Every structure is written in structure tokens, then in C-alpha cells.
């Protein structure tokens, strides 16, 4: 489990002092980017999730659920 904590701390350290434009750039560079960027986005998502109240979490889950209805999964290789 310490590996996960190290990853979380590394991501938080990397983005801690970034301004909004830098955060946006990091997110946009990670979305549809290399799979190596996905854990960083996961850490950012986790941070947001923990800071949301129950209503905001429900709204986010609803939004994700609705979006998933509109996409077709690709084939697993």
C-alpha cells in the first residue's frame, strides 16, 4: 500500500503550486494521452471526490452514468 501513498504524494507534490492554467494544461495533456498519465488523473479525481459533499458526489456520479450511456466501449485486445 505504501506504493500508492507514494504515488499520491508525488502527484500532489507535482501540482501543489500550479496555477489554474498550469492545472488545465496538465489535465488536457493527460486526457487521451499516454496511459501513464491515468494514475495522476485518478489522484486528482480522488482529491476532488473527498472534498465534495454528498450532493456533489451524487451529481458527479449521475453525470458520469449519463455519459457512459452515450459511449460504446472499444474492443479489449
Amino acid at each position: 500500500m505504501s506504493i500508492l501513498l507514494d504515488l499520491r504524494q508525488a502527484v500532489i507534490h507535482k501540482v501543489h503550486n500550479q496555477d489554474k492554467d498550469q492545472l488545465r494544461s496538465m489535465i488536457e495533456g493527460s486526457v487521451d494521452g499516454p496511459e501513464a498519465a491515468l494514475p495522476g488523473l485518478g489522484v486528482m479525481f480522488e482529491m476532488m471526490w473527498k472534498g465534495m459533499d454528498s450532493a456533489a458526489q451524487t451529481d458527479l456520479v449521475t453525470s458520469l452514468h449519463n455519459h457512459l450511456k452515450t459511449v460504446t466501449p472499444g474492443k479489449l485486445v
Side-chain angles (χ1 to χ4, degrees):
M1 180 96 116
S2 65
I3 292 173
L4 294 176
L5 294 176
D6 292 344
L7 175 61
R8 284 181 178 100
Q9 291 306 312
V11 170
I12 293 168
H13 180 74
K14 180 177 179 180
V15 300
H16 185 258
N17 289 317
Q18 291 186 354
D19 62 29
K20 291 178 185 178
D21 290 334
Q22 291 170 312
L23 284 173
R24 177 180 284 276
S25 179
M26 185 276 298
I27 293 167
E28 289 176 346
S30 297
V31 171
D32 291 327
E35 287 191 8
L38 294 178
L41 289 176
V43 171
M44 302 292 282
F45 180 87
E46 180 184 65
M47 288 172 38
M48 290 178 49
W49 182 264
K50 287 181 174 182
M52 292 177 175
D53 63 23
S54 181
Q57 289 174 343
T58 298
D59 289 345
L60 179 57
V61 169
T62 299
S63 179
L64 287 168
H65 183 256
N66 290 337
H67 181 74
L68 286 169
K69 292 180 189 177
T70 69
V71 298
T72 303
K75 292 184 179 184
L76 297 176
V77 285

